[in-house]
Amino acid sequence: FSCVVRNFSAAPAIEARKNGVFRDLGKEWEWARSSIERMYEKGVLKGYPGGWFKPGKPVTGLEAVIMTLRAMGWEDENMADSKLFWKDYYLDLAVEKGILKPEELNGFNPNQPAKRCEIAKYIVRALGLEEEAKKHMDEKLAFKDARAIPEDAVGYVYVMVDLGLMKGYPGGVFQPNKPASRAEMAVILSGLDRQKAADTAKGIIVGVDRERKTVSLFPFDEAKTGYVGVLKESDIEGRHLELETGDGRFVLVGELESLEDYLGEKILILGELKEGVSIFMRGPLLEVDRWVVLTDRNTLTFEITGETYIKMEGERAELSDLKEGSYVEVVSRGDKALVIKGIKQ
């Protein structure tokens, strides 16, 4: 992205190298290279004449706003190009889309470097998650410099970190007032692009394949803990049904009509554990409220990649931490999971 000419809404003449990599993307910028090239190809970021990207250059406030609008697909280049005062077009559009508040325009300096905490606001608002941010304005963030985060930005930073769109720096600091570089902005926008094109599903984990690196979900609207296992039959102290899970067996009681027709099948049970010891001495009593036989048709399976952001019980987690029966939210694009976040019942 370049701001050196008046009409920077349209791509300036760029002399990129034949391999598609800008001249100044050396090894030290490898962490941002794919994001820079991806956002350049999509027209979200522009380069500079001569094949330069200037990855370390700070992004200005106006550039950050325009980049966010472009990443969301909200820019009309023809409209921007036809405006005598093109800056006003972008600011008006930013207010219309909720990225900027009308009252923020008075103190908005378009040429001043954009702080990381300010960019967090733009991105969260663009994603329509401002209400979620407001819920976390009193959050105690784990960064050593958390007190440096402006009070009105805490919730936005929380959401950005929670989604994996922003990270801290070595030493456990966030540096909220540090100007974001063009390389950093490229990484953030690449994540934003994935988020806005993503689908969201909530439900109960009913399968975790650590070899294939996949997670299967039974979509469910209520935040419930489920019990997932294979339906078994036992004759100990009288014939009864049991659920064999990875955590042991549960003795099933309650409404079990027609359930016995599915012996040997993998099922999901919603219910409550009963107090006391089972008279059958095979495990806790599980009173069945609802149950469903799990098939490929009623479950969703997601691939876990090295870029999947997993958070369980408020902490960063790995594939190995995912357990059947947990209620989670999965943000995905296609069959690839971008974010998996546990939700408390």
Side-chain angles (χ1 to χ4, degrees):
F1 181 93
S2 174
C3 189
V4 296
V5 292
R6 187 195 69 80
N7 180 21
F8 60 88
S9 62
I14 300 297
E15 183 188 335
R17 287 163 54 177
K18 291 182 179 180
N19 61 6
V21 180
F22 290 99
R23 296 179 184 276
D24 49 354
L25 295 185
K27 288 184 178 180
E28 69 274 24
W29 301 107
E30 195 62 38
W31 57 273
R33 182 190 302 274
S34 62
S35 295
I36 291 171
E37 294 179 348
R38 184 167 175 267
M39 291 297 94
Y40 172 68
E41 290 173 359
K42 284 179 167 285
V44 174
L45 300 180
K46 313 298 182 181
Y48 289 85
W52 306 102
F53 183 75
K54 301 184 181 182
K57 182 180 179 182
V59 174
T60 68
L62 182 58
E63 287 174 332
V65 167
I66 296 176
M67 290 174 179
T68 302
L69 290 169
R70 284 178 178 158
M72 294 300 296
W74 291 334
E75 177 196 45
D76 184 336
E77 290 192 9
N78 293 327
M79 180 66 72
D81 193 35
S82 67
K83 292 280 187 177
L84 177 61
F85 300 104
W86 50 265
K87 182 178 70 175
D88 292 337
Y89 162 74
Y90 285 110
L91 293 181
D92 289 345
L93 183 59
V95 171
E96 176 188 332
K97 297 298 184 180
I99 293 176
L100 286 174
K101 303 294 184 182
E103 60 270 21
E104 293 174 340
L105 292 178
N106 290 333
F108 183 78
N109 186 337
N111 298 316
Q112 182 175 329
K115 299 175 182 178
R116 282 165 52 81
C117 62
E118 294 171 338
I119 290 173
K121 287 185 179 182
Y122 304 155
I123 302 300
V124 169
R125 289 170 177 173
L127 286 170
L129 296 175
E130 185 167 32
E131 290 305 313
E132 181 70 15
K134 290 179 179 179
K135 295 177 184 178
H136 296 279
M137 286 300 182
D138 296 324
E139 199 75 31
K140 303 298 182 183
L141 301 180
F143 299 107
K144 292 180 179 179
D145 58 347
R147 291 185 178 180
I149 301 175
E151 290 184 1
D152 64 347
V154 172
Y156 296 98
V157 172
Y158 172 87
V159 172
M160 289 292 284
V161 173
D162 192 47
L163 292 175
L165 295 180
M166 286 184 114
K167 299 179 180 179
Y169 292 94
V173 297
F174 185 77
Q175 298 190 31
N177 297 309
K178 178 184 177 182
S181 68
R182 284 165 54 81
E184 287 179 308
M185 194 67 185
V187 173
I188 293 171
L189 292 172
S190 183
L192 170 63
D193 184 65
R194 289 187 173 92
Q195 289 282 343
K196 74 180 180 65
D199 295 315
T200 300
K202 293 182 179 180
I204 299 169
I205 294 179
V206 294
V208 180
D209 191 324
R210 293 176 175 80
E211 292 186 3
R212 296 184 177 181
K213 296 184 177 180
T214 61
V215 170
S216 296
L217 191 75
F218 178 75
F220 199 69
D221 291 335
E222 298 179 57
K224 295 277 189 179
T225 297
Y227 298 86
V228 182
V230 177
L231 186 64
K232 298 288 186 178
E233 184 180 56
S234 175
D235 288 324
I236 297 178
E237 298 294 334
R239 182 175 176 275
H240 60 276
L241 298 178
E242 298 179 349
L243 184 69
E244 186 177 61
T245 74
D247 296 322
R249 288 204 178 203
F250 294 85
V251 176
L252 304 181
V253 295
E255 296 295 330
L256 307 180
E257 185 178 354
S258 74
L259 184 56
E260 62 184 15
D261 294 337
Y262 298 97
L263 288 173
E265 299 285 348
K266 187 173 183 179
I267 64 174
L268 165 67
I269 289 180
L270 298 175
E272 294 184 1
L273 293 179
K274 304 290 289 184
E275 293 184 1
V277 180
S278 163
I279 61 173
F280 307 111
M281 304 302 292
R282 297 277 290 185
L285 290 173
L286 175 58
E287 185 168 14
V288 178
D289 179 25
R290 283 174 281 183
W291 56 272
V292 61
V293 178
L294 299 171
T295 69
D296 291 338
R297 293 185 177 183
N298 62 13
T299 57
L300 302 172
T301 298
F302 303 97
E303 178 185 349
I304 307 300
T305 71
E307 296 182 353
T308 303
Y309 178 84
I310 303 174
K311 188 173 183 179
M312 300 296 291
E313 298 181 357
E315 302 289 339
R316 281 298 301 269
E318 305 293 336
L319 174 60
S320 59
D321 298 313
L322 298 178
K323 306 294 183 184
E324 290 184 345
S326 300
Y327 192 84
V328 299
E329 177 182 83
V330 178
V331 179
S332 66
R333 190 161 78 173
D335 60 356
K336 290 182 172 55
L338 305 177
V339 178
I340 299 177
K341 184 170 64 174
I343 299 177
K344 294 181 179 180
Q345 291 81 37

